[in-house]
Amino acid sequence: MQVAKQPGTGRNSARVAAVPALHVAMGEGDRDLLDALPIAAAVVGLNSRGVLKLSDRNKKFDDVIQTIGDPAMMAGDFRDCTQFQIARLMESFLADFEAPSELEFSLGDGVGAIHYRIKLAPLARDPKWGPRCLVSMVDRTIEVQAETALRAEMLRDSLTGLPNRLAFCEMIESAESGPGDLVGSDGLVRPWGHAVLIVDMLRFSRINESMGGLFGDELLITFARRLISALRSGDRLARTGGNEFGIIVALRKGMDDAMRAADRIQDVMTAPFKLSDLEIRVECAIGLAMMQPDQDPEELFRNAQFAVKQAKAAGTPQVYQPEEASQARRRFSIETELRRALEKDELKLFYQPLINLQSGKVSGFEALARWTHEDRGEISPTEFIPVAEESGLILTLGRWAMDKAAQTLAGWDQHNGAPIDAYVAVNLSAIQVARDNIAAMVEDTLRSSGLTGHRLTLELTESSIVQDPGRAQRVFEALKALDATVAMDDFGTGYSSLAYLQRLPIDVLKIDRSFVTGMMVDPDSVAIVRAVLSLADALGMSTTAEGIETVELATTLATLGCASGQGYYFAKPLEAEAALDYWTCRQLGADK
Ligand code: C2E
Ligand code: MG
Ligand code: MG
């Protein structure tokens, strides 16, 4: 066999030149060359009448043809063979050598199937023939069987025998998406489609840890069986994670079908599980997502998982809501961007005056973080502080706020030529109290700014105490030892336990804005404010009212004996320079 050098003639000549390596010269009687090949091979061409004919073949090719059992092939006539796709492949290749030259084909079904790969390579032109090619047939049966077995293994969960996550996504892909229209037996058109349910077995890792892996396995198998018992025909179950199962539910009447499936699942889980002489109750969280046309299966799966998270928090099955997911995504991107903003020192600290309600003078300023995002604009601390708390960034933010506030106050003192008669109040999150060394941080701040402890107020919330009262007590006492003031922020909205009020060294109660705002319209709010004021009085604490927006509120609170107040009526949070100007003006009694 040699590689042909001369280009062919006729309509294939240009194409032949494009595949020279395969362009093999074979003439009639090249049977020896064919027999030397280790695979089934034959030469096929178009005869002078343009009919597809087999011109030569080796013994192995004969054997394959026998196996296929096609009479036309046996007679060397490929044109009319039962495997018509082979004939089409050859014809199109002989017409254009750049046409596809490979084909996989199978005979029979299931385990008895045989699989071949057919390959075509162009041959040099023979004077008696039109274009010809070499056909080889490779038996791939064993390879395909191995691939099929491996694939089945890859798609199966070995413990329960159910499809696994990979298979589940394939199942989603092949399920008909909705919503579409379905004409029922009553002639009515109804929307239909599929929904994905994710069922998460709660407390599984704890059960597994305490009872052992074998017990856990048995539980999973029993759980899966119960899930199967809750399904209707057409619904499909998979194990998509350790303690997570996915179900594709066919919707015949709409999303209600999926909700009913969730109810049935919860019903079958109510009876206790009896395993190895033990009885345990298992609960599950169920998230649902409706399949949308052209939706990526992974995305749908993630949506259902997101709904599971919501279900865990809500305690009932939840349907995926895109708005909630987009809020969660916003929180997530805010976290990333906040980290960057803190690194680049892009946050600012504003100062809101705290007014002595008797004298009208500024007694201090509350430091409040401000963040103007370059694309999103102003982001409220009520949005980014919870994100910072959740992500742990509050530790960095808190230290930054403490340092910045102290530096600003020291700067004001310097500008004034003497310490100004005001303090600065810094907010401390419960997370900081739980995780940071607050006392050491405050001590560092005092040292580096040169301020004395009484110039600093720390505003803590009731949640700082509830988590770990012992730790809170130590932190409060350490702050007192540094001569700092401790204020209880948003008082009345948290746990308001009288026991800790009595035990902890708290100097100031800050009455939450919600009560102050309500005072003008709601007698209950007035009663609460009065009660807080007398409680503070009895415990020897001072009071600050938040959110004073009108002169009436300012006067009423002053009359009731509230020591100081803060609110838009006096001033909104101001930049450092404006805050100092405000202090100066009020000192001089300019706005009286
Ligand atoms: P907060 O400590 O209770 O601060 C008082 C909030 O009430 C501030 O909201 C302030 O701008 C607002 N406010 C004051 N007077 C009025 C008024 O008359 N009307 C109305 N509508 N609002 C008034 P802001 O600045 O949005 O801060 C919200 C919360 O974010 C703060 O509540 C505080 O809990 C937290 N926060 C702000 N900065 C920091 C910080 O640096 N560290 C920590 N841990 N938390 C901070
Ligand atoms: Mg505060
Ligand atoms: Mg507050």
Side-chain angles (χ1 to χ4, degrees):
M1 218 182 278
Q2 64 185 98
V3 174
K5 298 239 167 40
Q6 93 271 29
T9 53
R11 65 191 169 127
N12 275 315
S13 54
R15 309 285 188 208
V16 172
V19 278
L22 297 173
H23 189 204
V24 177
M26 281 179 88
E28 249 183 281
D30 275 339
R31 179 67 190 256
D32 290 349
L33 289 172
L34 286 173
D35 281 340
L37 289 174
I39 48 171
V43 174
V44 174
L46 297 176
N47 67 11
S48 51
R49 280 174 289 122
V51 176
L52 193 63
K53 283 280 180 201
L54 192 77
S55 76
D56 220 338
R57 60 195 176 201
N58 63 13
K59 169 82 176 51
K60 292 186 186 74
F61 199 85
D62 273 336
D63 295 344
V64 173
I65 287 179
Q66 292 291 335
T67 316
I68 296 173
D70 184 280
M73 274 182 165
M74 285 188 225
D77 182 359
F78 269 67
R79 188 185 47 174
D80 298 321
C81 71
T82 48
Q83 299 300 319
F84 64 90
Q85 77 271 36
I86 303 178
R88 297 297 87 77
L89 178 82
M90 290 173 176
E91 278 168 355
S92 65
F93 187 71
L94 289 170
D96 178 354
F97 285 150
E98 279 194 0
S101 60
E102 265 189 51
L103 175 79
E104 307 270 341
F105 88 99
S106 310
L107 285 174
D109 290 321
V111 278
I114 48 173
H115 306 271
Y116 286 100
R117 176 178 291 149
I118 296 194
K119 274 189 156 188
L120 308 179
L123 289 175
R125 206 166 253 279
D126 184 286
K128 279 187 265 158
W129 286 82
R132 296 181 317 144
C133 67
L134 181 73
V135 184
S136 59
M137 283 188 153
V138 181
D139 186 349
R140 292 190 63 246
T141 307
I142 294 177
E143 219 175 310
V144 171
Q145 280 171 349
E147 268 172 26
T148 313
L150 198 69
R151 197 173 150 68
E153 207 49 45
M154 268 172 59
L155 293 174
R156 202 174 61 94
D157 165 49
S158 55
L159 178 70
T160 57
L162 290 170
N164 62 13
R165 181 184 166 151
L166 193 65
F168 189 62
C169 282
E170 287 189 4
M171 281 153 61
I172 296 178
E173 199 156 20
S174 58
E176 303 258 6
S177 58
D181 288 336
L182 184 77
V183 183
S185 53
D186 50 8
L188 292 175
V189 178
R190 294 196 178 90
W192 70 285
H194 286 86
V196 165
L197 259 78
I198 301 284
V199 184
D200 186 294
M201 193 202 294
L202 299 173
R203 292 194 308 136
F204 177 71
S205 46
R206 273 183 54 199
I207 298 171
N208 209 31
E209 270 164 30
S210 50
M211 306 301 295
L214 274 180
F215 187 91
D217 286 355
E218 216 182 318
L219 178 61
L220 282 168
I221 292 168
T222 321
F223 188 84
R225 278 205 203 107
R226 287 212 188 164
L227 283 178
I228 291 169
S229 73
L231 303 184
R232 293 176 318 177
S233 67
D235 297 347
R236 302 180 68 192
L237 175 68
R239 183 173 172 216
T240 49
N243 57 332
E244 184 193 81
F245 292 82
I247 303 166
I248 299 177
V249 177
L251 306 178
R252 289 160 201 165
K253 291 185 192 140
M255 205 55 190
D256 273 3
D257 285 337
M259 288 309 284
R260 268 196 290 275
D263 290 343
R264 283 196 305 275
I265 291 168
Q266 288 199 311
D267 284 349
V268 297
M269 297 303 169
T270 46
F273 284 66
K274 294 190 182 99
L275 300 172
S276 329
D277 303 334
L278 282 173
E279 271 198 10
I280 58 165
R281 279 188 193 278
V282 171
E283 284 178 20
C284 55
I286 304 175
L288 304 94
M290 174 85 180
M291 203 180 277
Q292 301 296 333
D294 302 324
Q295 192 173 26
D296 173 33
E298 278 289 339
E299 185 191 343
L300 179 64
F301 187 78
R302 276 197 307 274
N303 291 351
Q305 277 185 321
F306 181 83
V308 170
K309 263 199 203 154
Q310 312 280 99
K312 281 184 187 169
T316 51
Q318 296 290 308
V319 180
Y320 170 76
Q321 305 289 352
E323 316 82 62
E324 284 173 18
S326 81
Q327 269 173 26
R329 272 195 293 277
R330 179 174 159 103
R331 278 171 85 92
F332 188 70
S333 44
I334 284 196
E335 178 186 326
T336 315
E337 288 156 16
L338 180 62
R339 180 169 289 118
R340 211 170 297 145
L342 280 166
E343 277 164 16
K344 291 201 205 153
D345 197 20
E346 283 174 358
L347 259 61
K348 281 189 159 186
L349 213 50
F350 273 43
Y351 302 87
Q352 187 176 31
L354 293 139
I355 308 294
N356 179 322
L357 293 180
Q358 307 307 320
S359 68
K361 288 195 175 166
V362 177
S363 48
F365 291 91
E366 176 172 7
L368 294 159
R370 290 289 176 268
W371 179 21
T372 309
H373 187 280
E374 56 181 0
D375 303 322
R376 299 178 197 266
E378 181 107 6
I379 301 177
S380 162
T382 51
E383 183 171 9
F384 71 78
I385 294 288
V387 173
E389 289 179 326
E390 222 175 75
S391 58
L393 283 171
I394 193 70
L395 302 186
T396 317
L397 193 153
R399 282 179 172 252
W400 163 83
M402 177 74 70
D403 277 343
K404 192 88 186 161
Q407 275 170 26
T408 305
L409 184 58
W412 288 339
D413 289 352
Q414 211 178 6
H415 190 271
N416 187 50
I420 68 166
D421 183 17
Y423 61 88
V424 71
V426 179
N427 289 286
L428 283 183
S429 146
I431 308 287
Q432 286 174 275
V433 176
R435 294 208 227 142
D436 211 345
N437 187 346
I438 302 286
M441 173 177 82
V442 172
E443 207 175 349
D444 282 353
T445 303
L446 292 178
R447 197 177 311 117
S448 59
S449 61
L451 296 173
T452 50
H454 80 280
R455 309 285 308 283
L456 216 53
T457 293
L458 285 318
E459 296 196 0
L460 296 111
T461 54
E462 291 160 284
S463 54
S464 325
I465 304 161
V466 181
Q467 258 181 4
D468 184 351
R471 184 180 172 93
Q473 175 131 20
R474 286 193 295 280
V475 172
F476 281 43
E477 278 164 4
L479 289 174
K480 289 312 305 162
L482 292 169
D483 208 14
T485 306
V486 175
M488 193 49 43
D489 205 351
D490 308 335
F491 187 74
T493 57
Y495 307 88
S496 307
S497 146
L498 294 181
Y500 73 68
L501 274 191
Q502 198 184 21
R503 196 164 357 109
L504 296 174
I506 297 165
D507 305 296
V508 181
L509 291 186
K510 287 192 80 173
I511 308 168
D512 191 70
R513 177 156 63 91
S514 53
F515 305 118
V516 175
T517 313
M519 274 175 74
M520 297 322 261
V521 285
D522 175 13
D524 287 349
S525 291
V526 182
I528 292 172
V529 172
R530 274 180 193 278
V532 175
L533 292 174
S534 62
L535 181 71
D537 193 39
L539 293 168
M541 296 173 188
S542 180
T543 41
T544 300
E546 293 178 343
I548 301 179
E549 292 190 359
T550 59
V551 62
E552 291 81 10
L553 275 175
T555 331
T556 312
L557 284 157
T559 318
L560 290 174
C562 183
S564 70
Q566 150 190 25
Y568 294 173
Y569 166 64
F570 300 110
K572 286 194 168 181
L574 304 163
E575 291 221 44
E577 209 177 311
L580 182 61
D581 289 347
Y582 186 88
W583 174 82
T584 314
C585 287
R586 285 209 83 114
Q587 277 303 99
L588 302 171
D591 59 342
K592 276 194 178 170

